Amino acid sequence: MNLSALPAFADNYIWMLHDGTQAVVVDPGDAAPVQQALDTLGLQLAGILVTHHHADHVGGVDALRPRLHGPVWGPAREDIPEPFVPLHDGDLVQVLGLRFRVLDVPGHTAGHIAYAQEGAAEAPLLFCGDTLFSAGCGRLFEGTAEQMHTSLAKLAALPGDTRVCCAHEYTLSNLRFAAAVEADNAEIGAYTEWCETQRSRKQPTLPSTLARERAINPFLRCGEPAVVRAAQAHGAADDSGPAVFAALREWKNVFR
Ligand SMILES: [Zn+2]
Ligand SMILES: [Zn+2]
């Protein structure tokens, strides 16, 4: 199975999986890069997975329908271009012989879902939209800090070798914030160097892995003493996970 990140807009990735004949894409905000990839590789589009309703994730869905030979799947609780198969927490999606478990991960939007691969022959895939980014997380547009903290904990509990397919290339700017939170975390420095090399070659920094995110992503490290101290210096009400998360998220919103 081939996995690629099709760049779209300024910093989106449309993830594409294909087996040489059929393809599935995740969050096609723009149809053009998908059409181009399908044409170049001679692939049939077997399905579309959607994580949430934002235009940069669904804007290309209708333009792709004429060449779609399968369903559009999306979160039941969000306004996705009709028709689509509405998904709830715990549902299974089977496509290209792969199996994905649907996880409710509200916070960025109220009905945001993620797709976590099960029964994978290689490292499992996670399509997490705008919930988890490498070294960061999505903004809270419709949900609370408490919801997002719970959603991220759900994702962080997946196997460490999980390939984390985020929908935006935000890694380097997120890493500047991560370094401000945890100046003594050597893994942040080493990973930053690797990401800078990737970007200088115009390559994605993604997918990441959950093991790496657990080591460097401050939003998954709300129980680490250094992260707690930094959050408390930036207004965290107490040392509980949700309070630390909320303070980090607000600090990040104004971090330059
Ligand atoms: Zn979004
Ligand atoms: Zn987005």
Side-chain angles (χ1 to χ4, degrees):
M1 195 63 64
N2 294 279
L3 174 70
S4 50
L6 309 177
F9 309 118
D11 50 34
N12 284 67
Y13 290 129
I14 300 167
W15 291 95
M16 186 174 78
L17 275 171
H18 75 85
D19 60 9
T21 308
Q22 294 197 305
V24 56
V25 293
V26 185
D27 287 353
D30 186 4
V34 176
Q35 284 161 337
Q36 197 185 345
L38 295 174
D39 290 341
T40 303
L41 298 166
L43 301 169
Q44 193 179 65
L45 187 58
I48 295 175
L49 301 175
V50 171
T51 63
H52 68 294
H53 69 86
H54 284 159
D56 63 315
H57 297 252
V58 300
V61 168
D62 283 335
L64 290 171
R65 283 192 204 273
R67 55 195 300 175
L68 180 60
H69 299 263
V72 176
W73 288 277
R77 295 189 290 129
E78 297 213 343
D79 191 14
I80 305 301
E82 300 274 0
F84 74 102
V85 179
L87 298 173
H88 300 87
D89 189 59
D91 284 351
L92 273 179
V93 171
Q94 311 226 40
V95 64
L96 301 186
L98 309 177
R99 200 163 84 233
F100 294 90
R101 181 74 64 183
V102 174
L103 302 174
D104 268 348
V105 286
H108 176 69
T109 61
H112 199 304
I113 59 173
Y115 299 86
Q117 192 185 1
E118 290 188 348
E122 43 190 335
L125 294 159
L126 171 66
F127 297 111
C128 50
D130 288 355
T131 298
L132 175 62
F133 295 125
S134 186
C137 72
R139 284 178 184 264
L140 303 178
F141 286 120
E142 299 172 11
T144 65
E146 182 128 24
Q147 281 178 318
M148 188 62 142
H149 180 250
T150 302
S151 295
L152 291 173
K154 226 187 237 191
L155 299 181
L158 294 168
D161 63 344
T162 299
R163 288 178 283 173
V164 182
C165 302
C166 319
H168 290 269
E169 179 63 65
Y170 290 156
T171 313
L172 280 174
S173 72
N174 286 341
L175 280 167
R176 283 194 302 109
F177 178 71
V181 176
E182 277 190 286
D184 295 333
N185 184 332
E187 291 203 44
I188 292 173
Y191 180 47
T192 301
E193 277 183 31
W194 181 83
C195 291
E196 279 169 350
T197 304
Q198 287 293 103
R199 297 308 292 147
S200 72
R201 293 172 182 161
K202 307 231 183 309
Q203 294 297 312
T205 60
L206 303 169
S208 183
T209 67
L210 266 182
R212 177 190 289 138
E213 294 309 311
R214 290 197 288 252
I216 59 98
N217 189 325
F219 296 98
L220 301 187
R221 295 170 61 77
C222 294
E224 290 294 318
V227 176
V228 173
R229 279 196 302 277
Q232 287 188 313
H234 286 81
D238 55 60
D239 63 0
S240 70
V244 169
F245 175 83
L248 288 181
R249 187 57 262 180
E250 279 178 34
W251 176 12
K252 173 73 163 63
N253 289 346
V254 297
F255 182 82
R256 290 290 175 272

